Amino acid sequence: MGFEAAIVSNDRSETNHGCGRNCLGPCCFPGARVPLYLYGEAQCMDTKGETIDFLHSFILAPWMEKQKQGLFRYDVTSCETKILSGDCGFIAQLNEGRHSKKRPTEFKMDQVLQDFDPSKFNFTKVGQEEVLFCFDPENSPFATSSNMVSPIEFGHILLIPRLLNCLPQRLEVNTFIIALQMAKQANNIYFRLGFNSLGAFATINHLHFQAYYLEYIFPVEKASKKLLVNNVKGFNIYKLENYPVRGIIYELGSSNFQELSYQIVTVCNILEEQNIPYNILIADKGSQIYLFPQCFAERQVRGEVEAEILETQVNPAVWEISGHIVLKRKQDFENATQEYAWKLLAEVSLNDKAFNKIINLVTNDKYYSKM
């Protein structure tokens, strides 16, 4: 039986003065007054027995309140957005503050697996005023921050599983399920979550997922696909077609999140061990998961990316790969075309030979038999 979803307060009787910075570290976070959302199969109810809209009540409304409090580095709601002409429907956004105010990367870009380094910036160093709520089935901290990196779009948040465990940016089954559950609880096709591995433009080596709300269909969600595996353990596997980035799609059918997560994370862990960066998009309320192995940083180091692309200073992470291109300069936004977006994303994609190796991995029966 699943836990009943309810709005409660993680209110501890013990007062913890900590280090005095009111941070999210073990010195201050235990005993903090933080709203707690318990998710499960039951409908979300408040203490009066009334139905709660999780997306609005726990994410969008508190996010807007944090914005009013001046916690963000800049106002993303004022950023210009347009749909580029063409059949793909790429979304271009001008976000000039993202270039000058985004937190810099503090680790090597050529290694997907790196140990957590407490001396580098991590989310335990963030103030509690940036936390929206804890998201959990059992009462351990899966903190959700309103904005610990530079925001991209309205409602942009970070989900930080097992915050105090200080996990590196690597997927595990139990933490990936948390992201799927958040997509399910939001219950809105315009709310998506994303994951960037190290080497695929994650800028902080502390396990986290990004999420935000955008009322557009992403171009990748409209792209055609070819069936690879039909109804294995209750889900289907496809490969993207007619899209600039080669990718894999997992589609949830009669399966559950545990089985789906095992398959996806198994493949991702192998990519990590082979030092292949990747990005993940969680879409359609958690029922569509897109996996994009990528090589942009590697191609950049080898001098294979055209200067025209590099001059725009766009780092193609999960949102860009999905078709939401965040541009940092006015002239690039004004001159953006579908041809430019396609050319940028094509630089991300693995070649046919490398991608076919991953197809063989994804369709290998030995992983299904273990589930």
Side-chain angles (χ1 to χ4, degrees):
M1 179 177 179
F3 289 89
E4 180 174 306
I7 295 178
V8 300
S9 177
N10 188 10
D11 186 1
R12 314 289 179 85
S13 57
E14 177 185 359
T15 300
N16 190 342
H17 297 289
C19 66
R21 294 184 293 113
N22 200 31
C23 68
L24 296 183
C27 53
C28 299
F29 194 50
R33 294 172 178 263
V34 180
L36 174 64
Y37 181 92
L38 297 178
Y39 65 82
E41 296 302 323
Q43 193 173 32
C44 178
M45 311 291 287
D46 66 10
T47 54
K48 297 179 181 180
E50 299 178 351
T51 302
I52 290 295
D53 182 337
F54 168 70
L55 176 61
H56 180 269
S57 298
F58 271 81
I59 297 178
L60 299 183
W63 189 92
M64 289 186 285
E65 184 60 31
K66 299 293 185 183
Q67 183 186 40
K68 291 178 182 177
Q69 294 171 11
L71 291 178
F72 300 160
R73 293 189 174 99
Y74 43 82
D75 181 11
V76 295
T77 61
S78 65
C79 294
E80 294 181 71
T81 300
K82 65 181 180 181
I83 303 297
L84 302 183
S85 298
D87 54 353
C88 295
F90 288 114
I91 307 158
Q93 181 187 72
L94 175 61
N95 192 331
E96 293 175 289
R98 188 165 173 79
H99 171 58
S100 60
K101 300 178 182 179
K102 187 175 185 294
R103 187 179 301 280
T105 302
E106 296 184 88
F107 52 84
K108 297 178 180 179
M109 286 292 292
D110 60 351
Q111 295 180 10
V112 176
L113 291 180
Q114 298 181 44
D115 293 335
F116 179 86
D117 184 348
S119 70
K120 306 294 186 184
F121 175 82
N122 64 81
F123 300 120
T124 66
K125 300 181 180 183
V126 171
Q128 292 178 24
E129 70 277 5
E130 296 195 26
V131 175
L132 295 185
F133 60 94
C134 289
F135 182 76
D136 193 24
E138 294 177 345
N139 197 27
S140 61
F142 288 84
T144 304
S145 162
S146 60
N147 178 39
M148 294 186 209
V149 295
S150 304
I152 297 173
E153 189 49 80
F154 174 65
H156 184 203
I157 65 172
L158 299 181
L159 170 65
I160 308 165
R162 290 164 55 188
L163 169 67
L164 296 179
N165 288 50
C166 294
L167 301 173
Q169 187 72 345
R170 181 182 185 182
L171 285 186
E172 297 178 356
V173 172
N174 62 345
T175 53
F176 190 64
I177 289 174
I178 299 297
L180 296 179
Q181 287 286 0
M182 179 168 281
K184 179 181 178 180
Q185 294 297 315
N187 194 33
N188 190 302
I189 62 171
Y190 297 121
F191 180 80
R192 296 116 168 154
L193 290 97
F195 178 87
N196 301 315
S197 78
L198 300 187
F201 300 104
T203 56
I204 299 169
N205 187 22
H206 188 174
L207 180 61
H208 64 284
F209 296 84
Q210 298 187 44
Y212 66 82
Y213 180 83
L214 186 68
E215 289 187 354
Y216 291 98
I217 300 297
F218 281 175
V220 75
E221 295 171 329
K222 300 184 292 184
S224 59
K225 57 189 180 182
K226 180 180 180 180
L227 183 65
L228 297 176
V229 179
N230 183 36
N231 195 27
V232 56
K233 294 290 183 176
F235 57 87
N236 298 329
I237 305 176
Y238 302 84
K239 72 172 181 176
L240 273 174
E241 293 199 323
N242 302 317
Y243 197 72
V245 184
R246 295 174 177 85
I248 307 294
I249 308 170
Y250 293 85
E251 183 179 78
L252 186 66
S254 60
S255 182
N256 57 50
F257 284 160
Q258 181 71 33
E259 293 174 335
L260 183 63
S261 295
Y262 175 85
Q263 168 62 16
I264 295 172
V265 171
T266 296
V267 172
C268 289
N269 289 164
I270 293 173
L271 295 180
E272 291 163 352
E273 291 165 2
Q274 296 180 357
N275 206 35
I276 300 174
Y278 63 91
N279 309 86
I280 288 180
L281 173 71
I282 300 173
D284 197 12
K285 309 174 189 179
S287 66
Q288 296 266 359
I289 294 88
Y290 296 77
L291 170 61
F292 306 101
Q294 72 143 292
C295 60
F296 186 89
E298 179 183 348
R299 289 174 53 81
Q300 184 177 358
V301 170
R302 295 201 304 253
E304 297 175 357
V305 180
E306 293 187 18
E308 177 188 3
I309 297 296
L310 295 177
E311 286 173 1
T312 64
Q313 303 176 57
V314 174
N315 295 328
V318 60
W319 307 123
E320 286 79 13
I321 291 172
S322 301
H324 184 195
I325 313 295
V326 181
L327 297 162
K328 304 168 185 176
R329 302 187 306 183
K330 182 78 170 178
Q331 64 267 34
D332 295 327
F333 177 77
E334 293 176 344
N335 297 328
T337 63
Q338 175 170 289
E339 291 71 25
Y340 158 76
W342 190 282
K343 190 174 183 179
L344 165 69
L345 297 185
E347 299 281 8
V348 174
S349 187
L350 299 186
N351 60 35
D352 281 331
K353 182 178 179 181
F355 186 67
N356 285 336
K357 290 181 179 179
I358 295 175
I359 291 291
N360 293 335
L361 173 64
V362 166
T363 57
N364 193 325
D365 290 342
K366 74 177 183 178
Y367 300 119
Y368 311 140
S369 63
K370 295 179 182 178
M371 293 191 294

